[in-house]
Amino acid sequence: MRKKIVGSSWKMHINSFDEASTLAQGIAERLGSEEEVDLFILPAFPLITMTKAMFYGTNIKFGAQNIAVAEKGAHTGEVPVKLVKELECAYVELNHAERRSMYNETDEMTAIKVGLCEQYGLTPIVCIGETSEDIERDRSRMTLRTQILWALENASPAFREQIILAYEPVWAIGQAESASKEYIAKTHKMIRELVKADFNEDLSNKIRIIYGGSVSPETALQLSDVEDVDGLFVGRFGLQAENFEKIVNNFKGESR
Ligand code: PGA
């Protein structure tokens, strides 16, 4: 049985301590004792210590939006995995479409970072997803398969079960609405089948696959009963505590 998980990356939308503390406090008050669903928040690096303090004693975990591709050394401007671990982060987001398109991150870098996460005991949330060009050229399956292989291959069989695959169709990020329920259900099923074919059935049954891309309270309601959707990765529509709570509760199926 896969436990449901809902998380949010604040990207750089939250860019001040004031905003971060208001939002983290609101989330802690509303969802701090949540047990049915795993929860995580990924703030910008300098906000991690404050977020950690706000979530102290709650069930809400936190993490980083990225780590450096190397363990240490001459990597100006990068953040080492060791510090992320020492800050007591639980999760690290990897391979987000914005990192790929704006900062030239590659599958190979993702694979190395997954290895670093395993070494330091951090759970990677690896984003995968096709672009609209992939759809036009009828190569979505191939793109997803390639990304899954890079995400999982550099991890030990035991660690692979912990990795979270975040399916984020690139064309559905930053839009007014998420992809349709049917499209998401179909693709999540395909992702699970790809994991089964390239790795094994046990892993495909255990690995959590979450959906991201313009997730709103409505999306959460629609996806709450979709078998292969184990969680949600929330962006803009989770930047108000009340909305984030609604997303979590809707996904639990509480408003059905
Ligand atoms: P969005 O972000 O919900 O603002 O589209 C989603 C994401 O990129 O994870």
Side-chain angles (χ1 to χ4, degrees):
M1 186 64 187
R2 299 180 298 266
K3 188 172 180 190
K4 284 189 170 186
I5 179 164
V6 177
S8 177
S9 163
W10 292 350
K11 304 193 182 184
M12 254 179 42
H13 294 307
I14 301 297
N15 66 352
S16 76
F17 282 100
D18 262 5
E19 268 182 291
S21 82
T22 307
L23 179 53
Q25 192 181 345
I27 291 173
E29 279 168 10
R30 289 163 186 274
L31 292 162
S33 51
E34 174 60 44
E35 286 179 344
E36 199 181 317
V37 176
D38 286 339
L39 297 177
F40 67 85
I41 296 293
L42 311 180
F45 287 119
L47 297 172
I48 290 177
T49 305
M50 196 209 70
T51 310
K52 172 180 160 183
M54 305 294 270
F55 291 159
Y56 184 77
T58 73
N59 289 341
I60 305 162
K61 301 258 191 333
F62 54 91
Q65 297 175 13
N66 190 23
I67 51 169
V69 76
E71 212 177 339
K72 69 185 295 185
H75 289 267
T76 302
E78 290 294 296
V79 174
V81 61
K82 189 162 192 270
L83 276 180
V84 168
K85 180 66 184 179
E86 287 182 3
L87 285 170
E88 294 174 13
C89 285
Y91 297 95
V92 176
E93 179 179 3
L94 298 175
N95 207 42
H96 189 275
E98 288 148 20
R99 300 287 325 162
R100 296 173 72 85
S101 65
M102 292 190 249
Y103 302 98
N104 303 323
E105 291 201 356
T106 62
D107 291 325
E108 199 172 354
M109 288 160 85
T110 299
I112 295 169
K113 291 179 186 186
V114 167
L116 288 170
C117 285
E118 175 163 11
Q119 199 182 325
Y120 282 86
L122 290 151
T123 299
I125 302 160
V126 186
C127 302
I128 57 172
E130 79 285 1
T131 60
S132 37
E133 200 192 339
D134 287 326
I135 298 177
E136 275 159 37
R137 297 188 177 200
D138 200 18
R139 64 176 185 207
S140 302
R141 190 176 187 279
M142 195 177 73
T143 294
L144 288 168
R145 181 174 180 222
T146 307
Q147 292 179 348
I148 294 166
L149 285 169
W150 282 102
L152 300 181
E153 228 164 35
N154 202 26
S156 70
F159 191 66
R160 282 177 192 148
E161 293 174 9
Q162 275 187 44
I163 294 173
I164 294 167
L165 293 177
Y167 171 56
E168 301 209 332
V170 179
W171 50 272
I173 297 172
Q175 304 299 314
E177 286 181 9
S178 53
S180 72
K181 175 178 179 170
E182 295 67 35
Y183 190 91
I184 296 167
K186 188 181 73 179
T187 315
H188 276 238
K189 189 161 184 278
M190 181 173 86
I191 292 168
R192 212 174 286 289
E193 282 166 5
L194 285 167
V195 172
K196 182 177 165 187
D198 281 320
F199 294 88
N200 58 68
E201 186 167 8
D202 188 45
L203 179 63
S204 78
N205 286 330
K206 286 181 178 156
I207 199 161
R208 290 191 283 185
I209 307 169
I210 67 178
Y211 171 79
S214 307
V215 169
S216 65
E218 292 74 47
T219 322
L221 200 56
Q222 286 177 3
L223 296 181
S224 66
D225 62 353
V226 178
E227 196 191 325
D228 288 305
V229 178
D230 304 311
L232 300 173
F233 200 7
V234 186
R236 286 156 301 140
F237 302 129
L239 298 176
Q240 280 164 345
E242 195 185 340
N243 246 359
F244 188 62
E245 183 188 30
K246 228 182 257 173
I247 289 173
V248 173
N249 288 338
N250 283 359
F251 190 59
K252 280 159 72 176
E254 279 187 353
S255 43
R256 269 172 194 283

